[in-house]
Amino acid sequence: MDTIVVVGGGAAGVAAAEALRAQGFTGSLTLVCGEPELPYDRPPLSKQVLLGTWEPDRARFRPAAHYIDKGIRLVHGLAHALDLTERAVELADGYQLRYDGLIIATGVRPRVLPAGHDLAGVHVLRGLADVAALRSAFAAAGRIVIVGAGFLGMEVAACARALGLEVTVVDPLPQPMIRQVGPLVGAAVADVHRSQGVVVRTGIGVSGLVGADGVVAGVALADGSVLPASCVLVAIGAVPETEWLAGSGLAVGNGVECDEFLRAASGVYAAGDVASWVSPRYRRRMRVEHRMNATEMGGTAAKNLLAEAAGTDLEPFDPVPYFWSDQYKVKIQVHGELSAEAEVTIEEGTVADGKFVAMFRHDGVPAAVLGWNSAARVIGYRKQLLG
Ligand SMILES: Cc1cc2nc3c(=O)[nH]c(=O)nc-3n(C[C@H](O)[C@H](O)[C@H](O)COP(=O)(O)OP(=O)(O)OC[C@H]3O[C@@H](n4cnc5c(N)ncnc54)[C@H](O)[C@@H]3O)c2cc1C
């Protein structure tokens, strides 16, 4: 294998490129970056960078010299098409990149509301440009309405509150972050935000955005009322960046469909938020939008691409998923997979004390463990998920 192209310069793409070098690949290696800048990390964007405690540059994975040292050629541009037969990626400007091996790591983009997204004052948060726009809006606006109470919406709520804004969060589900942490911990998340002065409106849907003269004026709710707003963050999830693969012949459903080795086709692997794979552990197809998963997938995709070329055994991708969220002084860490229906028990500490470990079980079998300001303790429970 002489030439490898990695498309997508996020956590998964950078991890894949570095792993290829670490595994001894010495051929030509190109990392196609969709953004016109050095690759950067996303979790700090809704935390330190939004708060202003980090300069945006601090979120970059590596300085430019690192990529030169490793022989990783950064090409800035958007992949536009993939030709599996010719083994070529075409960029939007027509530039063609031939490959022997390909890793797809194009991530996701924010989902938007069906109407009103173009109104001035409406924001999403995915990249550095978004965080700069949001910070300017914070400086001008006294209040913000956040549509969507997932971890992103709640992290932004915490930052906006810390910066002195009036904050309302609205979501149709009964508790914030219910899909990620279940109803009991979701209620604790709501309580923390309410104690900080955030208005948490759960259990009510958003019917649209209201604007005047091209500028947002409010968020219309399903009950017919309107929350006035000059700044709105829409944080209602994300969709995989797969349009450029249309017509390529790759199976694309909820993301690029890979087998348990992250292989999408011969010599083609996918990693990170864009990739779904068949999990041996959970015996189903999964797609995970978490930071640690992106790095781990990048590493495994790189290893398996080289193993396929060498004719050696491929390694199944079989992690226990992990994510964290920081809100005010609360650090939430979740290992495993939980659904809102899981039985939950508090194993240590109490919700009232603001320090606890919760175990989630499905039919009595440990499925996930959550630490709330309990980083050291939660690790001890993680091994129960491996049985
Ligand atoms: C604000 C924010 C905060 C987060 N906080 C946490 C957290 O606290 N904990 C946690 O576990 N996870 C968190 N996440 C999730 C985590 O950051 C992601 O799971 C991770 O970044 C995924 O990495 P990725 O490389 O798969 O995708 P991305 O980081 O999205 O990178 C994909 C790259 O591909 C590029 N691209 C897209 N289309 C094309 C194309 N056609 N051609 C070329 N390039 C293209 C994009 O520009 C992007 O640079 C957060 C995410 C966000 C947005």
Side-chain angles (χ1 to χ4, degrees), residues 212-300:
D213 301 326
V215 179
V216 74
V219 175
L221 303 184
D223 64 2
S225 62
V226 173
L227 293 170
S230 55
C231 177
V232 174
L233 174 79
V234 177
I236 55 172
V239 288
E241 283 282 12
T242 52
E243 278 73 7
W244 68 281
L245 299 167
S248 66
L250 286 186
V252 174
N254 175 23
V256 178
E257 294 187 353
C258 303
D259 63 14
E260 70 268 41
F261 306 111
L262 308 182
R263 182 172 47 192
S266 167
V268 179
Y269 290 74
D273 289 6
V274 76
S276 80
W277 84 105
V278 180
S279 160
R281 182 181 305 278
Y282 297 105
R283 295 195 189 89
R284 63 185 166 85
R285 179 165 291 286
M286 295 175 67
R287 191 175 67 76
V288 172
E289 293 180 13
H290 299 323
R291 174 64 181 78
M292 179 75 89
N293 190 69
T295 298
E296 291 178 352
M297 276 185 123
T300 302

Side-chain angles (χ1 to χ4, degrees), residues 284-342:
R284 63 185 166 85
R285 179 165 291 286
M286 295 175 67
R287 191 175 67 76
V288 172
E289 293 180 13
H290 299 323
R291 174 64 181 78
M292 179 75 89
N293 190 69
T295 298
E296 291 178 352
M297 276 185 123
T300 302
K303 209 169 173 184
N304 284 343
L305 173 59
L306 297 178
E308 181 187 330
T312 54
D313 287 346
L314 307 193
E315 182 182 288
F317 184 66
D318 202 18
V320 172
Y322 166 76
F323 82 91
W324 80 96
S325 178
D326 300 333
Q327 297 167 33
Y328 310 102
K329 291 197 160 75
V330 176
K331 182 176 268 301
I332 301 169
Q333 294 168 299
V334 180
H335 297 264
E337 268 281 289
L338 65 89
S339 70
E341 296 76 44

Side-chain angles (χ1 to χ4, degrees), residues 10-12 34-35 42-43 46-47 79 106 126 272-273 289-291 324:
E35 291 158 280
R42 291 179 203 276
S46 53
K47 307 172 184 72
T106 41
R126 183 77 197 164
D273 289 6
E289 293 180 13
H290 299 323
R291 174 64 181 78
W324 80 96

